[in-house]
Amino acid sequence: MNSRALPAFPALLTLALGTAVPAAAQSPAPAIPATPATSPAPTGPATRNAPEQAALTRGRALMTGFLAVNLNPLWQSFSPAVRAQWGTLEGFTAFRKTGLEQYGAELRVVRERTFMQGGEAVYVRSAIFEKAPQEVWAFVVGFTGPQVTTFGVLLEQDRTDDPVVRTPAYGPR
């Protein structure tokens, strides 16, 4: 999916994947069953605060456009700093089209979650794509008010059994 490392993004990625945020600080949306990709009905726990609920609703809408390669609404929502990370709308479009060619359409949403990080409401959509069903990709969209102040895509989980790293047979003994 051409994951992009963005400035100040690594700490947010840790939070987005839930490894550093206490469970009580997260407001996960219920897991979405394995069905064809559609816009899930807006549901969520009553404990989600107003900025998180807005991030969930707006994040879903912007991700629907992103996945359909209708990128202008998302691009127009980007803060100047996020736009600068992607360069131009044409560059951002090329990034998305490359992901679509390599991974295909979204097969299903694995889960969605929201949380607050400072003054930013963060929406994370984890999904599986048709050409790589063994991988789960996380799309992270951070909002400060209506503006997207963080956007990134990263591999959340690789479910294959293939060995990635093997210890060499050499070295000090």
Side-chain angles (χ1 to χ4, degrees):
M1 196 67 53
N2 295 331
S3 60
R4 295 277 299 248
L6 307 175
F9 199 60
L12 186 59
L13 295 180
T14 301
L15 294 172
L17 299 178
T19 57
V21 178
Q26 294 183 21
S27 295
I32 297 172
T35 58
T38 58
S39 294
T43 60
T47 58
R48 187 172 281 126
N49 64 32
E52 286 180 84
Q53 185 59 49
L56 177 69
T57 302
R58 186 108 192 278
R60 282 178 173 167
L62 291 173
M63 283 304 304
T64 297
F66 175 79
L67 294 168
V69 195
N70 177 13
L71 304 177
N72 198 48
L74 180 57
W75 184 259
Q76 294 303 317
S77 297
F78 281 169
S79 69
V82 174
R83 281 189 190 171
Q85 292 168 349
W86 294 96
T88 64
L89 176 57
E90 292 76 24
F92 187 58
T93 301
F95 167 78
R96 175 61 192 122
K97 286 182 176 179
T98 299
L100 186 58
E101 290 169 12
Q102 290 179 346
Y103 295 92
E106 182 179 80
L107 190 58
R108 75 174 187 268
V109 175
V110 175
R111 67 180 173 154
E112 297 175 293
R113 53 212 178 274
T114 61
F115 60 90
M116 295 298 299
Q117 174 63 32
E120 192 174 48
V122 181
Y123 166 74
V124 181
R125 179 186 185 109
S126 299
I128 295 173
F129 290 79
E130 64 185 358
K131 292 183 182 179
Q134 74 285 2
E135 298 172 344
V136 178
W137 288 92
F139 297 84
V140 181
V141 185
F143 296 93
T144 302
Q147 195 166 57
V148 174
T149 47
T150 299
F151 183 84
V153 181
L154 69 139
L155 182 61
E156 181 174 331
Q157 183 181 21
D158 185 343
R159 298 176 177 180
T160 63
D161 292 330
D162 296 336
V164 177
V165 179
R166 293 188 182 220
T167 306
Y170 55 87
R173 297 202 183 244

